[in-house]
Amino acid sequence: MKLDWRLLIPYELLEPNWRLWSFVGILTLGFWALLAFPMAEFAGYIDPFYSPTILIVPLPGAFRLTCYAYRKDYHRHIFNHPLGCANADRGESASRHYTGERSAVFQLENFHRYFMYAGIAILPFFYYDFYHSLISSGTFELRLGSLLLLANAITLTGWTVSCHAFRHVIGGNVDCYSCVAAGGPRKDFYDRQSWLNKHHEALAWISLLTIILVDLYLRGLAAGLPIDKTLLRF
Ligand code: FES
């Protein structure tokens, strides 16, 4: 059975009150951000919210905020505009003027293709965080938290390289793609990325949840919960 995760969210409740819910959402995210900032490193684990990327956090933040997967959701379910063209009842959205991608918001969102480079540039930091957690005690130690950091790095990589803008970098900018790249390494890379790209929306949410999970795990550890386990040491 295919799980439709959207049914888990009460959109019927959210949509009529979208201003209220947007306000609650912004407050919650702001509160989370305030919580996230002081948490830097605990027991050799660097918090993904804090990782050196904190220095350039607006760029990865903008990369995530302008991701097509989230854009679809906040335009359809929070802004209520534009709704999907196939939606028979377009309600409020039908009476609002839609100017394609020329409005200021869309133009801003189109900077996503540039924010992507920041997203790619920060990926090594997350692998470094994993490595750092292995050796921080002065000896090699694989702990449960290290595996979570690795999972975080992998899901972030999956989300980033499955990006639609990345797809364009690999496969775009040629008039006849199959003529130029048929059978070549670029075509192979493109085909592999195409497979990942089909799962981009799921990866967007999984990678976000993984970051939050790691952050909560570290907060739990810092609070004294006995949740960390050493799996290997030598
Ligand atoms: Fe989602 Fe680029 S479209 S990260």
Side-chain angles (χ1 to χ4, degrees), residues 48 63-64 119 122-123 126-127 149-162 203 206-208 210-211:
F63 178 49
R64 193 167 279 275
I122 64 170
L123 287 178
F126 297 105
Y127 289 95
L149 289 183
L150 180 62
N152 181 53
I154 292 172
T155 56
L156 280 172
T157 305
W159 169 60
T160 305
V161 300
S162 63
L203 285 164
I206 291 169
S207 62
L208 183 63
T210 316
I211 295 180

Side-chain angles (χ1 to χ4, degrees), residues 72-83:
K72 188 176 95 181
D73 285 326
Y74 59 71
H75 275 292
R76 290 185 184 179
H77 303 300
I78 296 182
F79 300 147
N80 259 355
H81 183 74
L83 293 179

Side-chain angles (χ1 to χ4, degrees), residues 63 66-69 112 159-160 163-165 200 204:
F63 178 49
T66 55
C67 167
Y68 287 22
H112 181 74
W159 169 60
T160 305
C163 168
H164 298 283
H200 183 67

Side-chain angles (χ1 to χ4, degrees), residues 112-222:
H112 181 74
R113 67 196 67 173
Y114 304 112
F115 296 143
M116 176 194 70
Y117 293 102
I120 292 172
I122 64 170
L123 287 178
F125 287 110
F126 297 105
Y127 289 95
Y128 171 78
D129 295 347
F130 165 63
Y131 168 72
H132 178 75
S133 73
L134 295 176
I135 55 147
S136 62
S137 62
T139 160
F140 180 90
E141 204 177 14
L142 179 65
R143 294 169 291 165
L144 185 58
S146 306
L147 291 182
L148 284 177
L149 289 183
L150 180 62
N152 181 53
I154 292 172
T155 56
L156 280 172
T157 305
W159 169 60
T160 305
V161 300
S162 63
C163 168
H164 298 283
F166 191 60
R167 180 175 169 78
H168 177 74
V169 170
I170 300 167
N173 213 25
V174 284
D175 290 338
C176 173
Y177 185 72
S178 57
C179 315
V180 176
R186 185 177 175 190
K187 174 82 166 60
D188 284 348
F189 193 30
Y190 179 70
D191 287 346
R192 284 172 212 277
Q193 200 272 350
S194 299
W195 181 84
L196 263 185
N197 180 259
K198 282 187 207 144
H199 305 283
H200 183 67
E201 193 167 2
L203 285 164
W205 287 105
I206 291 169
S207 62
L208 183 63
L209 291 176
T210 316
I211 295 180
I212 292 173
L213 175 71
V214 174
D215 183 60
L216 286 178
Y217 185 84
L218 297 197
R219 282 176 196 287
L221 274 186

